[in-house]
Amino acid sequence: MRWRVLVTDPLAEEGIKRLSEFADVSVAEGLSSEELKAKIGEYDALVVRSGTKVTADVIYAASRLKVVGRAGVGVDNIDVEAATEKGILVVNAPEANTISAAEHTIALLLALARKIPSANASLKAGKWERKKHMGVELNGKTLGILGLGRVGTEVAKRAKAFGMKILAYDPYISTEKALQLGVSLLPLEEVLRRSDFISLHTPLTKETYHLLDRDAFEKMKDGVRIINCARGGIIDEDALVEAIKSGKVAGAALDVFEEEPPPSDSELLRLENVIVTPHLGASTEEAQRTAALVIAEEVERALRGEPVRYAVNMPYLQEEQWDALRPFLTLASKLGSLCAQLKPKLSRIEHLEFAYEGKIGKMDKETSMLTAVALKSMLSFFTSGVNIVNARVVARKMGIKVSERKTEEAETFPSLLSISMRTEDGNVRTVSGTLFEGEPRVVKIDGYRVDAVPSGFMLVCSFLDKPRVIGPVCTILGDHRINIAGMQVGRKERGGEAVMVLNVDSDVDDAVLEEIKKVPNILDVKSVKL
Ligand code: NAD
Ligand code: MLT
């Protein structure tokens, strides 16, 4: 069966063509929320830009939806939390329109400084008003950038070429990055107080909603000019209108609005010193083509279950990070599955610790991907609908605390991944694995050294290291025509507790397990399928 993709906002032809290579594509622009809710159940993927509101209601109605693709960067029109909870991947094309948005910002900056739109309109209306259109230079002026991410950075580079001094407020970037760009990273108040022009480049979040409100405008220089090519809700539009009318703000250039399109009676559309464009930041042939192609490829990868590059609700990894990670994905999944099958029956998991030691402990965000993969494969034994997108949310809902520990120090193996599972009865089981010539190996169970290939049917027995244990276990298996393909025994000290791992050629059912449990000095036995 072919996948079905619904596209609900204008998408460049190239993107539609690319989607059609692997899916049946329906284009339905301008759907009401009710219409989208009624339709979404038939689709595996939804592709939007900023027009479609992908609300929690839409997400809950989406019975077979696997991925939402946003052909652009901002995802404030998508309820990402609801998508994550439902295990729906959200992908975007964060780099596709960076340059276009930065260039549009610079266009607005210049248009504002030189009053180009009103001069153009005036001349076309037959007037010759040179004095009225006196402007200001950018050279030597201070530009305050709020949000020094992709677009903010490109704007900073270009504004510097105009001789502007750049200040920035961004609590989430390092001073080194700002220093490298030749930008002074300062507290918000100081940026507001010292800037001649202020340009917004943050996402719209709970934190940035109305970042520029009455209070913020009061702190600014008299005659400041504002550019917003990011998101409407970041500015309180009523406060902006007041600040313009009072003369505090000399002009504003807006590409984005709290409501899009803005109501026709919006004062912002009537004020002469406000320049407006209808959300054109990404509207270039280059950006639209790239965004559409990137999102089509991301959607295809997501539907095929392959790693995506631009996941919004999963860690974002660069290509080289994926390359380093790839061999460990199977190991993480196998260890998760093994750990789940070693859980004492009917005992609730309280805590899972994922430990990354050695080279793997040096990895950054990649380890959260491995944790998600291991967690998904574990929790799938206990609940349905879990995937790597929602694995942590599902764990939290199940009352399982998840933690990660990393150390660059390695004892025996260059890289060691361990999962420790504590259940409510106080029992702790730990499985550890590594890669041997690129292939996963289980190298410790509960701290006992083994060397088992995590594949097919396995038996994991804990026992007291005494004579007449291993033999009888093998005899029972033989009696039931279960062939043993491999065996590993690990112990810490002679006569103490030990672990035996057997790779067997067929499933070991409960009756056989019960027989094995009766062998003197057997403490526990679990049948595992990996
Ligand atoms: P980005 O994620 O690369 O950068 C956003 C930056 O904002 C980050 O550095 C982040 O640390 C910072 N930030 C987050 N919260 C902040 C806060 N409370 N205060 C200050 N800084 C904060 O995103 P980007 O690709 O640069 O896009 C920036 C904005 O531009 C987004 O809102 C995006 O949707 C918008 N955008 C608009 C258009 C358009 O057509 N007008 C096109 C592209 C992007
Ligand atoms: C974006 O967030 O990518 C821009 O606002 C452009 C768009 O909505 O397409």
Side-chain angles (χ1 to χ4, degrees), residues 220-366:
M220 294 177 197
K221 263 189 187 177
D222 290 342
V224 65
R225 289 173 172 83
I226 310 288
I227 301 104
N228 188 4
C229 200
R231 279 294 177 270
I234 305 170
I235 299 184
D236 175 348
E237 291 181 351
D238 293 337
L240 175 63
V241 168
E242 272 173 34
I244 289 172
K245 283 184 170 170
S246 74
K248 178 83 184 175
V249 170
L254 309 173
D255 184 47
V256 286
F257 303 87
E258 292 208 64
E259 193 186 323
E260 291 188 0
S264 55
D265 61 352
S266 163
E267 284 209 66
L268 290 171
L269 302 184
R270 290 205 299 272
L271 290 166
E272 203 180 341
N273 42 357
V274 176
I275 297 172
V276 290
T277 50
H279 202 142
L280 292 184
S283 295
T284 61
E285 289 167 16
E286 294 85 350
Q288 285 312 308
R289 192 171 46 239
T290 312
L293 283 173
V294 167
I295 217 61
E297 275 162 24
E298 288 294 276
V299 165
E300 182 179 14
R301 285 178 202 220
L303 290 177
R304 292 193 191 286
E306 292 167 7
V308 293
R309 283 175 297 170
Y310 304 120
V312 171
N313 47 359
M314 282 203 316
Y316 169 81
L317 301 178
Q318 311 270 7
E319 204 59 56
E320 58 273 19
Q321 290 176 302
W322 272 116
D323 288 345
L325 188 67
R326 219 162 262 125
F328 289 101
L329 293 172
T330 318
L331 175 67
S333 168
K334 296 275 186 186
L335 286 181
S337 173
L338 173 60
C339 199
Q341 296 175 75
L342 294 182
K343 185 181 85 61
K345 250 189 187 162
L346 302 177
S347 191
R348 202 178 59 78
I349 303 172
E350 276 185 342
H351 185 203
L352 289 170
E353 184 193 70
F354 296 82
Y356 299 91
E357 293 171 45
K359 273 209 231 150
I360 201 176
K362 284 189 204 154
M363 288 185 174
D364 180 23
K365 284 180 287 184
E366 297 94 318

Side-chain angles (χ1 to χ4, degrees), residues 49-50 70-74 97 231 279 282:
R49 282 181 55 200
S50 56
R70 162 68 165 100
V73 54
N97 57 31
R231 279 294 177 270
H279 202 142

